[in-house]
Amino acid sequence: MDRLANTVRPYAWGSTTALPELLGTAPTGAPQAELWMGAHPGAPSRVDRGAGPIGLNEVIAADPDTELGPEAVRRFGERLPFLFKVLAADTALSLQVHPNLDQARAGFADEEERGVPIDAPHRNYKDANHKPELICALTPFDGLCGFRAPAEAADLLAGLEVDSLKPYVDILRAMPDTDALREVLTAVLSAEHEAMAKTVAEATAAAERLAAADGPHSAAYAAYVTVAHSFPGDPGVIAGMLLNYVQLQPGEALYLGAGIPHAYINGLGVEIMANSDNVLRCGLTPKHVDVPELLRVVKFESTPPGVLRPEADADGEELYVAPIDEFRLSRYVLATGATPRLLTAGAPQILLCTAGSVSLRIPQAAKATATASELHLAAGESAYVPASETVELAGEGTIFRATLAI
């Protein structure tokens, strides 16, 4: 196994303190948004097997069968199928959806054929892969996920008593659910800029008043106010009011499949996703919003958030069940003196310590590669275990395990 040296991405929405607190480092004063663990070419983790630091992507490319396992290579190709992160949001991320696999392949091929540069700001598809993802809260975590039932969205909008929102309320109450959601989201994202900015300002002022009251949507109104202060006049504020507001407690998670609109608002969490950069944005961003393509990809159906809680087995592994093969996320909460856990996957693993201190040991009989035989991880530290290795886990702390569902 290998200790990972990971990159922190300094996106503007990131917290200045949450990742430094986890990693035990001094804040720089700049946002620190995401800690990347894996082999994504944009910021691969680095390992040192005696010849100096090298990207994990290069290690895997040199011997994919040993590193990933033959079954993973057969099913997913010669690269790590997932990207593992710690995400620290201080302000809202863009309201977005991800394509399914067929849409991603078709969209990527189309933009390649039309010669759209891969780094062009208006490019939608950076690769031919889908991007299902799962976020697990380490602190209280706020987000928006999936469409509300149209009747509930109508009640929330009506409660603001903003004249320019009344046509949306009427549509949500009169049309079939799918048609209503499509009609209103299309109208919001296609509205004239100045008129929508005025609507957002009026809705924000009304939401501030209602957030202070003890009403059925007061917590949601408060969240939308927070978003609106970061993105004044953005149509994504109104689009976000069509979505479920979710408050995750530490240990709770959300799975986000293709076509589900979502946005993270604030909090610290562990995130795992298929290895893709494909994002179609609805708002809450200065970046490109391709409304026609977005509307083609969004699933216009009311979707309860479906908060996940881990399911424990007899060995103490707590699994976050998700309908995806490219990744599998679980955690162990270890107590001093407990019997060590033996982790055998037949697939690559990344192990992240988020609290306490844990030790990883490869039994000599199971050692197959020239990696370290024993590592100790403190909070914020992580390790990569090739498919060819079995690792023994002990200590007192919490460790998240990212691997494949094969």
Side-chain angles (χ1 to χ4, degrees):
M1 61 191 156
D2 302 274
R3 184 182 300 277
L4 293 179
N6 302 308
T7 297
V8 173
R9 308 305 294 261
Y11 306 134
W13 49 261
S15 168
T16 59
T17 59
L19 275 177
E21 287 176 5
L22 175 68
L23 300 173
T25 58
T28 64
Q32 297 186 41
E34 293 181 347
L35 177 77
W36 283 28
M37 295 163 285
H40 192 285
S45 299
R46 298 168 304 284
V47 303
D48 189 341
R49 295 186 176 178
I54 184 174
L56 184 58
N57 55 335
E58 298 176 74
V59 169
I60 290 171
D63 190 358
D65 278 353
T66 297
E67 301 295 335
L68 303 178
E71 178 64 11
V73 171
R74 183 185 70 81
R75 292 179 61 178
F76 306 117
E78 297 183 349
R79 68 172 190 164
L80 189 66
F82 63 82
L83 176 61
F84 196 28
K85 300 179 181 180
V86 181
L87 181 148
D90 194 45
T91 59
L93 283 67
S94 61
L95 188 61
Q96 60 188 256
V97 297
H98 305 304
N100 63 31
L101 191 55
D102 289 341
Q103 290 165 340
R105 287 171 174 167
F108 180 77
D110 173 66
E111 290 185 325
E112 287 288 283
E113 185 177 347
R114 290 190 286 116
V116 181
I118 198 72
D119 58 352
H122 63 285
R123 174 124 186 184
N124 293 316
Y125 297 95
K126 303 297 178 68
D127 53 67
N129 200 15
H130 61 168
K131 193 186 176 187
E133 61 190 41
L134 188 151
I135 183 82
C136 178
L138 297 178
T139 66
F141 194 98
D142 289 2
L144 305 173
C145 178
F147 284 112
R148 295 175 182 272
E152 183 184 344
D155 289 344
L156 185 140
L157 292 176
L160 296 169
E161 297 184 337
V162 173
D163 287 345
S164 54
L165 292 177
K166 289 179 181 178
Y168 305 151
V169 172
D170 293 340
I171 292 169
L172 291 166
R173 287 178 172 162
M175 297 181 69
D177 287 5
T178 296
D179 295 339
L181 293 170
R182 179 185 296 276
E183 188 80 11
V184 173
L185 184 63
T186 302
V188 169
L189 297 182
S190 304
E192 192 274 328
H193 176 73
E194 289 187 10
M196 179 51 65
K198 183 174 183 292
T199 296
V200 172
E202 292 177 1
T204 302
E208 282 189 291
R209 294 192 299 271
L210 292 166
D214 189 19
H217 298 297
S218 57
Y221 284 134
Y224 295 125
V225 169
T226 297
V227 170
H229 284 169
S230 298
F231 299 93
D234 193 302
V237 175
I238 305 301
M241 292 182 180
L242 301 174
L243 308 187
N244 299 292
Y245 168 58
V246 187
Q247 293 178 298
L248 298 179
Q249 297 305 310
E252 295 181 333
L254 289 173
Y255 172 76
L256 301 159
I260 304 300
H262 61 278
Y264 303 142
I265 298 175
N266 58 61
L268 182 70
V270 170
E271 185 181 34
I272 188 167
M273 62 190 64
N275 204 349
S276 172
D277 271 343
N278 289 326
V279 174
L280 291 155
R281 296 176 177 86
C282 315
L284 309 183
T285 177
K287 295 181 179 179
H288 176 63
V289 177
D290 184 336
V291 174
E293 185 66 10
L294 169 74
L295 296 175
R296 194 180 71 83
V297 168
V298 171
K299 285 185 177 178
F300 288 99
E301 52 190 52
S302 55
T303 309
V307 174
L308 299 176
R309 295 173 181 85
E311 300 179 9
D313 66 10
D315 192 43
E317 183 181 27
E318 300 177 343
L319 175 65
Y320 293 91
V321 179
I324 192 71
D325 293 338
E326 281 99 325
F327 61 74
R328 179 184 185 277
L329 183 69
S330 61
R331 71 173 183 179
Y332 289 87
V333 181
L334 304 171
T336 301
T339 303
R341 275 44 170 214
L342 196 64
L343 309 187
T344 304
Q349 304 178 69
I350 293 179
L351 304 175
L352 167 69
C353 180
T354 59
S357 176
V358 298
S359 63
L360 312 176
R361 187 177 73 87
I362 294 182
Q364 196 59 40
K367 188 163 178 59
T369 64
T371 62
S373 296
E374 188 165 349
L375 291 176
H376 298 276
L377 302 182
E381 295 182 328
S382 57
Y384 163 74
V385 183
S388 54
E389 303 281 21
T390 295
V391 65
E392 199 174 69
L393 177 65
E396 182 178 5
T398 300
I399 196 156
F400 280 84
R401 180 193 193 195
T403 185
L404 309 181
I406 60 173

